Amino acid sequence: MPYRIDLTNPPPEALDVLVQLGALDVESNGLELAALMPDAIAPEELASELNAAGLRVSPALARDGNSVWLLSPRTVRIGSLLIAPPDADAPSNALRLNDAQAFGSGHHPTTAMCIESLEEMLSMEPVPTLLDVGTGSGILALAALTLGVPRSVGIDIDHDALAIAAENARLNHLSDRLQLVPGGPGDVSGVWPLVVANILAAPLIEMAPVLVRRVASRGHLILSGIPSSVESEVREAYKHRGMKHTASKEQGGWVTLIVRASW
């Protein structure tokens, strides 16, 4: 697991040394320096390289299910959408997200590809409502609302995640347009013209029979959280149930699939 270091009065070459050693993130104001380091670099080796006796080591805080390592929340742009911490200096139309444990900070490739796909699809064909399966922080459902979808429904089996999503909706004054429901796709009824599921490959395959029943006639389904090594297995699971593959995105070893109902 990566770890955090803090150093007071760092030497001038500290930043270059940390980058060369594979630092995952670095913040410095000249007097104080913090960094996230991979565990392949021992703290003792790092102290020797920096010639720093006062190196402080502490556990690193992971985001997005231990897949994104950042020292602190920060603003990120995905397409036309700006995602920012609540206290960041950002335009009024930015999507604000609290720093929380639920998946969906905007920094993971799967989230970015989903939002890019949403924006591309909505620019071609507006939809009245969206279903977000495994909503986590609510980022995709809220992004859809920010991009112009009138109403979103977010579902999740994690009650803590739903509470976080509800708080993010309040933060962005979107509570009246977001409905949050505990459970999975089998716990809601009806169909949606656009469904997004950014979870993992195994549950995507397992829930394919019920998930496709949530897609309206000629509707679209965005599937993400898929390692590139198993893309074909996920694609085949949905092809077998009448979903036609229309597009893919790949970034950092992850794949997002866009499929469309053939009925």
Side-chain angles (χ1 to χ4, degrees):
M1 293 283 285
Y3 59 92
R4 174 179 174 137
I5 64 159
D6 288 272
L7 184 61
T8 301
N9 297 320
E13 70 277 10
L15 181 59
D16 289 339
V17 170
L18 291 170
V19 170
Q20 291 171 6
L21 292 175
L24 305 174
D25 194 19
V26 181
E27 292 180 355
S28 177
N29 61 10
L31 298 178
E32 300 281 342
L33 180 148
L36 297 180
M37 300 301 300
D39 56 7
I41 305 297
E44 296 79 11
E45 177 187 353
L46 187 58
S48 175
E49 290 281 352
L50 292 173
N51 192 25
L55 193 71
R56 301 184 299 280
V57 178
S58 59
L61 176 63
R63 293 170 172 80
D64 287 346
N66 292 339
S67 58
V68 172
W69 298 92
L70 295 173
L71 285 162
S72 58
R74 63 190 59 169
T75 298
V76 58
R77 178 173 292 280
I78 305 173
S80 67
L81 186 64
L82 194 67
I83 301 168
D87 57 352
D89 182 12
S92 59
N93 62 347
L95 177 61
R96 306 277 181 167
L97 293 181
N98 287 296
D99 184 29
Q101 291 300 309
F103 188 93
S105 66
H107 294 279
H108 196 275
T110 62
T111 307
M113 290 188 292
C114 282
I115 293 175
E116 290 170 358
S117 299
L118 278 173
E119 184 164 26
E120 291 166 6
M121 295 176 68
L122 294 173
S123 68
M124 296 184 292
E125 184 180 354
V127 299
T129 185
L130 168 142
L131 175 65
D132 179 16
V133 179
T135 195
S137 70
I139 185 171
L140 297 180
L142 295 170
L145 297 177
T146 304
L147 292 170
V149 175
R151 298 193 64 81
S152 290
V153 177
I155 60 176
D156 206 298
I157 60 174
D158 186 340
H159 287 262
D160 290 338
L162 291 174
I164 292 167
E167 179 56 34
N168 284 329
R170 286 191 289 271
L171 179 63
N172 291 279
H173 309 291
L174 294 171
S175 298
D176 59 335
R177 295 167 56 197
L178 174 64
Q179 179 185 0
L180 294 169
V181 180
D187 296 304
V188 291
S189 58
V191 295
W192 282 261
L194 182 55
V195 179
V196 58
N198 181 21
I199 42 179
L200 291 170
L204 283 177
I205 293 172
E206 181 181 353
M207 68 173 58
V210 64
L211 190 53
V212 298
R213 293 202 295 271
R214 301 284 78 87
V215 183
S217 175
R218 309 304 292 172
H220 285 91
L221 176 56
I222 300 174
L223 303 167
S224 197
I226 307 166
S228 55
S229 59
V230 295
E231 173 193 1
S232 60
E233 297 174 36
V234 178
R235 188 189 299 196
E236 187 61 29
Y238 285 84
K239 178 182 177 181
H240 181 66
R241 289 166 178 83
M243 304 298 292
K244 179 182 179 182
H245 174 254
T246 61
S248 297
K249 290 182 180 291
E250 184 169 2
Q251 183 181 336
W254 296 94
V255 173
T256 294
L257 297 174
I258 298 94
V259 296
R260 186 170 189 175
S262 60
W263 55 90

